Amino acid sequence: MDEIKHTYIQVNGLKLHVATIGSDSSPAVVFLHGFPEIWYTWRHQMIAVANAGFRAIAPDYRGYGLSDIPAKPEETLFVDLVNDTASILESLAISKVFVIGKDFGAMVAYIFSLFHPEKVAGVITLGVPYRPPGFHKSHQVLPEGFYIRRWQEPGRAEADFGRFDAKTVVRKIYIMFSSSEIPIASENQEIMDLVDPSTPLPSWFTEDDLAVYGDLYQKSGFETPLQVPYRSFKEKIGSQQDPSDLKIEAPALLIMGEEDYVFKFPGTEEYLKSGEVKKYVPNLDIIYLPQGCHFVQEQFPDQVNQLILDFLSHNKY
């Protein structure tokens, strides 16, 4: 971990924190985190790819971790994160890159691949496949207590999270998202109360790990993270052409834990196992990890590292 360097890059009016490891002349891999994560979620993968001869780059998004909080967090969009990623790579003089995204970082990775196909050597996502525009509407069939619907409601999550310090919020969400069940609260229950305070952390996530996350979310707060992703799902990306015309042609890999609660989102398993996803990502391979939860990169780092390295080696530029 001491080998990882931490720098700040001025991007689109903000100073963004970027963690890097590996030679500047090596093929580059950019890691895009999800929620409730920051660059640190990729610690195992960054070291593995650097040891294999690649350059690992893991930014904190605007409003996350050590990066600046935008002046108006409530106006942040997915496209801002995509443009920030492009600007970071341009600042580092990287013209071609492997893009790896976890959770909603998968959406950032895929939108980046749509906007900048000439820059993408390959794309790997963990936990979330490519979703065509409008897929978020499937959320509406879930109950009112579905965590995404609750967090989309202005003020609801802020009041819920505000009862606890940042470290406790991250602890509860990590435990909740490690389950195979979709987090859904009853009518008079808040999302944070779905997790009993005595519930232990997953065995692969230590108190020291939690302390890193807690410190960084204490700094950033949750205003930007609640905006992107949860309150930005309806954002219109790019031109409004027929979604079936949007194709990611780059080599692609989806790593999915078989116990990931995202599998239970309406239509997701059928979308993946029927092959419909390949209408949009024709060069996609899918690998399922038995017992894998939503955080496979931390739960099974060795397996995930090997899958990533095999993909990078096969598609090396």
Side-chain angles (χ1 to χ4, degrees):
M1 288 291 292
D2 293 342
E3 300 164 347
I4 295 175
K5 298 174 184 175
H6 298 272
T7 58
Y8 290 87
I9 297 176
Q10 196 73 22
V11 169
N12 303 322
L14 297 169
K15 190 174 66 175
L16 301 187
H17 168 251
V18 182
T20 64
I21 183 172
S23 168
D24 291 1
S25 61
S26 298
V29 185
V30 64
F31 291 92
L32 303 170
H33 64 78
F35 177 78
E37 298 161 320
I38 31 86
W39 75 268
Y40 184 82
T41 194
W42 297 114
R43 58 199 179 281
H44 305 299
Q45 287 68 46
M46 292 179 72
I47 292 168
V49 303
N51 288 341
F54 294 86
R55 181 185 187 188
I57 301 152
D60 288 337
Y61 301 127
R62 57 172 62 197
Y64 279 79
L66 295 172
S67 291
D68 281 352
I69 299 170
K72 296 182 177 179
E74 71 281 2
E75 294 181 6
T76 305
L77 299 171
F78 271 104
V79 74
D80 293 324
L81 308 190
V82 174
N83 291 338
D84 288 348
T85 302
S87 297
I88 288 168
L89 296 175
E90 185 177 353
S91 175
L92 296 173
I94 294 168
S95 58
K96 204 166 187 74
V97 67
F98 289 100
V99 186
I100 302 182
K102 156 75 177 34
D103 185 64
F104 85 88
M107 295 175 64
V108 181
Y110 275 130
I111 297 166
F112 181 87
S113 300
L114 287 169
F115 282 13
H116 305 283
E118 75 288 350
K119 296 181 185 294
V120 177
V123 57
I124 301 174
T125 64
L126 290 76
V128 172
Y130 176 77
R131 310 276 201 186
F135 198 93
H136 66 272
K137 292 176 183 174
S138 65
H139 294 168
Q140 300 308 309
V141 305
L142 288 164
E144 172 276 336
F146 174 46
Y147 78 97
I148 289 180
R149 292 183 65 181
R150 285 285 183 85
W151 290 353
Q152 287 173 336
E153 185 181 329
R156 185 74 179 258
E158 287 86 342
D160 187 12
F161 292 7
R163 297 177 293 149
F164 307 98
D165 61 18
K167 181 177 173 181
T168 302
V169 172
V170 175
R171 173 192 287 272
K172 285 175 173 284
I173 296 173
Y174 245 83
I175 291 169
M176 189 166 61
F177 283 5
S178 297
S179 168
S180 61
E181 298 302 319
I182 299 174
I184 297 174
S186 58
E187 185 178 352
N188 297 313
Q189 182 183 36
E190 297 303 321
I191 298 296
M192 288 292 98
D193 295 331
L194 286 170
V195 179
D196 187 287
S198 65
T199 306
L201 287 170
S203 60
W204 40 265
F205 192 71
T206 69
E207 290 288 345
D208 287 344
D209 294 330
L210 176 64
V212 174
Y213 284 80
D215 287 347
L216 291 173
Y217 275 95
Q218 187 67 40
K219 175 200 170 290
S220 68
F222 293 96
E223 194 172 3
T224 311
L226 285 168
Q227 172 63 23
V228 181
Y230 300 102
R231 296 169 186 171
S232 300
F233 280 131
K234 297 178 183 179
E235 177 185 341
K236 293 181 179 179
I237 304 294
S239 63
Q240 291 309 293
Q241 65 217 70
D242 182 338
S244 62
D245 291 340
L246 297 172
K247 286 189 171 58
I248 287 93
E249 300 288 355
L253 173 66
L254 170 63
I255 302 171
M256 198 84 195
E258 289 186 346
E259 301 296 321
D260 192 328
Y261 73 91
V262 172
F263 246 146
K264 294 186 178 174
F265 281 20
T268 295
E269 186 166 5
E270 183 183 358
Y271 174 65
L272 293 178
K273 295 194 171 175
S274 70
E276 184 184 353
V277 63
K278 293 196 176 186
K279 290 180 185 177
Y280 311 103
V281 193
N283 298 309
L284 175 70
D285 288 325
I286 304 176
I287 294 176
Y288 300 99
L289 295 184
Q291 287 86 52
C293 73
H294 191 57
F295 300 101
V296 287
Q297 83 285 4
E298 293 179 286
Q299 181 188 15
F300 297 128
D302 293 342
Q303 284 178 261
V304 170
N305 292 351
Q306 192 57 56
L307 293 172
I308 289 173
L309 292 175
D310 288 348
F311 179 89
L312 298 181
S313 175
H314 187 69
N315 296 290
K316 197 169 184 178
Y317 60 88

